[in-house]
Amino acid sequence: MRSASQITLGAARCFIDDGELLCLGQNDDGELGDGTTEDRERAVGLPTLRRAEFVQTSRFGDQHFTCAIAEGDVWCWGAGDRGQLGDRTTDNSTTAVAVTGLAGPALAVTATGRRTCALITGGTMQCWGSNQSGALGDGTTDDSSTPLTVTGLAGTVTAISAGQAHTCALIEGGTVQCWGSNSFGRIGDGTSTQRPTPVSVVGLSGAAIAVSATNNGTCALITGGTVQCWGFNGDGQLGDGTTANRTSPVTVVDSESDPFTGVAAISASPQYTCALMEGGSIQCWGDNGIGQLGTGTTDDSTTPVPVTGLGGTALSVDGGFDNTCAFLEGGSIQCWGENFDGTLGTGTTDDSLVPVDVLDPARAAQNRRVSIVIDELNGGLHVLTARYFGDDANAGSTSVIVAHTVSKADTKIKQIKIKPKTPKAGKTAKATEKVQRIAPATEKPEGKMKIALDGRKIANVKVRKGKAKFALPAPAAGKHK
């Protein structure tokens, strides 16, 4: 087995290995996609999806299914009783079927509670399947076996996450919106009123950069590395040191009641929550009856506790119903917690209170990976290649060319300021224009700007660091644009 690049778990566990999608674990509804309903204690490949980019298994409910993205298309398999496979039917399928009616290429998919949602290129969102409590976000409670566009979103969607009967979206700029069932306050608007269209979460302590919805609650990662959660808290999964339900966000605290900081990513599960920390460790909190917190015990915790025995630096974490997995630097995967259907991937059905290897470390080491992060690229076409120089046992090689086009950042004219504010006829005036970049752009705009007075061009001026200054011609008396 080669090293994996993404892992997701529910009743089944799936991961992507060099573009190939592999799944293991429970298969009652065909959620492994191998054409059978036989459980698997070792991973099986899906030959029809050799170029998978993203995968999500359903986490909650008794009808299990899986969806994946390949070249922008969404494919689903498993239970389809409420139309969650998106193929215009309510039939189950033990092999992958294509979702029909998407508004464009998909960037991410979230599948759970007999419902699927996709983030579409451009920042819109579509959902299909069960519309219990209005969780599809179209203003109705009617199920749909094809994608429906979510209405009432406050802006461009950058991330999505679905709970059992509610759905959430992260909006560009840091707002979180949720809709659907609001029992226990899982939508986070300070009420328990059902919402068939998106409403904004109230009381966030800052701009959110990630959101994770679960069975009866939701958590958000806030800029600066703190975490806030809301909804059901019967097992301490909100991490505020209590078991009281919350209808609006509360801050996760450490054992000394200080804000829990240094978080890089979050994964919320029905009875517990886990956080990937800066530096690659993992901490979890909530129910621990089967060892899903990874502490070596079965003691619950209402505040974060560290996972013990990780085999390396964690790059991601994903929690299922009663078990958890981490993708480690170097390509190996470790999991812990419940293993009834072989979902830990160890070849047994024995539970584990501490992390155990899913992939054979010796075999995973045969395929080393190098990761780079490019923080900034100018707009236009960029070409990336890689060259390996070889070693004593391996010949050198050169990669294929990967071409990537970066769109130019959006801007807006933020302000036009004239001095004096009310110039007199026949007198000159000075004007300043401010051009603002739109996130995630970081560079202040430069270049040229055309100035028109009453529809007639009067100047071409240079923009430097987002500002342009120029003198207006002496105007005649009256109003001017």
Side-chain angles (χ1 to χ4, degrees):
M1 190 74 67
R2 294 186 295 271
S3 55
S5 58
Q6 188 211 337
I7 185 167
T8 179
L9 59 153
R13 170 171 292 107
C14 294
F15 52 90
I16 295 174
D17 174 21
D18 197 26
E20 182 181 7
L21 184 60
L22 301 104
C23 297
L24 67 151
Q26 183 176 314
N27 198 24
D28 292 350
D29 300 301
E31 59 265 41
L32 299 188
D34 65 345
T36 77
T37 54
E38 298 176 15
D39 295 349
R40 305 288 186 179
E41 295 175 4
R42 291 293 187 188
V44 292
L46 277 69
T48 56
L49 288 172
R50 293 289 186 184
R51 299 177 302 279
E53 303 154 7
F54 191 93
V55 62
Q56 177 71 61
T57 59
S58 61
R59 301 186 184 206
F60 320 120
D62 57 359
Q63 300 291 305
H64 304 292
F65 65 105
T66 307
C67 292
I69 298 173
E71 297 183 326
D73 296 323
V74 179
W75 297 77
C76 298
W77 56 95
D81 60 313
R82 301 290 288 272
Q84 59 264 44
L85 302 189
D87 63 343
R88 300 185 183 275
T89 77
T90 54
D91 299 332
N92 291 3
S93 179
T94 59
T95 57
V97 294
V99 174
T100 60
L102 287 172
L107 299 174
V109 64
T110 180
T112 199
R114 301 182 182 182
R115 176 179 80 265
T116 310
C117 293
L119 172 59
I120 306 300
T121 300
T124 60
M125 184 174 175
Q126 290 186 294
C127 298
W128 57 96
S130 171
N131 203 10
Q132 177 187 355
S133 304
L136 296 188
D138 69 331
T140 78
T141 55
D142 300 329
D143 295 349
S144 178
S145 59
T146 55
L148 301 174
T149 299
V150 176
T151 60
L153 290 166
T156 301
V157 179
T158 59
I160 58 176
S161 185
Q164 185 178 36
H166 76 296
T167 312
C168 293
L170 177 63
I171 307 299
E172 188 176 62
T175 299
V176 176
Q177 289 191 294
C178 300
W179 56 95
S181 172
N182 200 13
S183 58
F184 308 108
R186 69 186 85 178
I187 285 179
D189 66 343
T191 77
S192 56
T193 304
Q194 179 175 307
R195 307 291 186 181
T197 54
V199 294
S200 295
V201 174
V202 296
L204 289 173
S205 61
I209 54 177
V211 63
S212 183
T214 183
N215 198 1
N216 294 312
T218 315
C219 290
L221 175 58
I222 307 299
T223 300
T226 59
V227 178
Q228 290 190 293
C229 300
W230 55 95
F232 182 73
N233 195 27
D235 298 292
Q237 57 265 58
L238 301 190
D240 66 341
T242 77
T243 55
N245 299 338
R246 308 290 186 177
T247 60
S248 57
V250 291
T251 300
V252 175
V253 298
D254 62 21
S255 58
E256 298 171 350
S257 298
D258 293 323
F260 180 56
T261 59
V263 178
I266 53 173
S267 178
S269 299
Q271 281 86 35
Y272 70 105
T273 307
C274 289
L276 173 68
M277 309 302 294
E278 295 174 359
S281 62
I282 296 173
Q283 297 202 39
C284 301
W285 57 95
D287 178 58
N288 194 30
I290 315 179
Q292 55 266 49
L293 300 190
T295 61
T297 75
T298 55
D299 298 332
D300 299 345
S301 180
T302 59
T303 56
V305 289
V307 173
T308 60
L310 278 174
T313 301
L315 301 179
S316 67
V317 62
D318 193 42
F321 198 86
D322 282 319
N323 50 33
T324 314
C325 284
F327 170 45
L328 304 183
E329 191 174 65
S332 62
I333 296 171
Q334 289 191 309
C335 300
W336 55 95
E338 184 270 326
N339 195 27
F340 178 76
D341 296 299
T343 47
L344 294 190
T346 59
T348 75
T349 56
D350 299 330
D351 299 340
S352 180
L353 305 182
V354 293
V356 291
D357 291 319
V358 175
L359 302 181
D360 181 347
R363 299 185 69 185
Q366 295 173 9
N367 293 269
R368 296 298 186 186
R369 294 182 179 229
V370 175
S371 298
I372 62 171
V373 176
I374 302 174
D375 292 324
E376 297 180 7
L377 283 175
N378 293 328
L381 179 66
H382 300 269
V383 176
L384 179 69
T385 59
R387 182 182 176 189
Y388 169 60
F389 290 95
D391 57 26
D392 292 342
N394 300 282
S397 59
T398 302
S399 72
V400 297
I401 294 174
V402 176
H404 179 67
T405 300
V406 176
S407 300
K408 289 187 176 181
D410 292 326
T411 62
K412 65 179 180 181
I413 306 295
K414 183 180 179 182
Q415 185 184 60
I416 303 176
K417 188 176 181 180
I418 298 175
K419 187 176 182 180
K421 189 174 183 180
T422 54
K424 294 182 179 180
K427 298 291 185 180
T428 59
K430 294 182 179 180
T432 302
E433 303 263 7
K434 287 187 178 180
V435 187
Q436 184 181 37
R437 63 187 183 273
I438 297 178
T442 57
E443 294 294 326
K444 291 184 178 180
E446 301 277 343
K448 293 182 179 180
M449 177 185 291
K450 183 180 80 172
I451 306 299
L453 179 65
D454 297 325
R456 179 176 58 87
K457 187 181 84 169
I458 59 173
N460 282 326
V461 296
K462 289 185 178 181
V463 178
R464 291 189 178 92
K465 295 184 178 181
K467 286 186 179 181
K469 295 182 180 181
F470 56 94
L472 287 168
K479 290 185 178 180
H480 300 274
K481 296 180 180 180

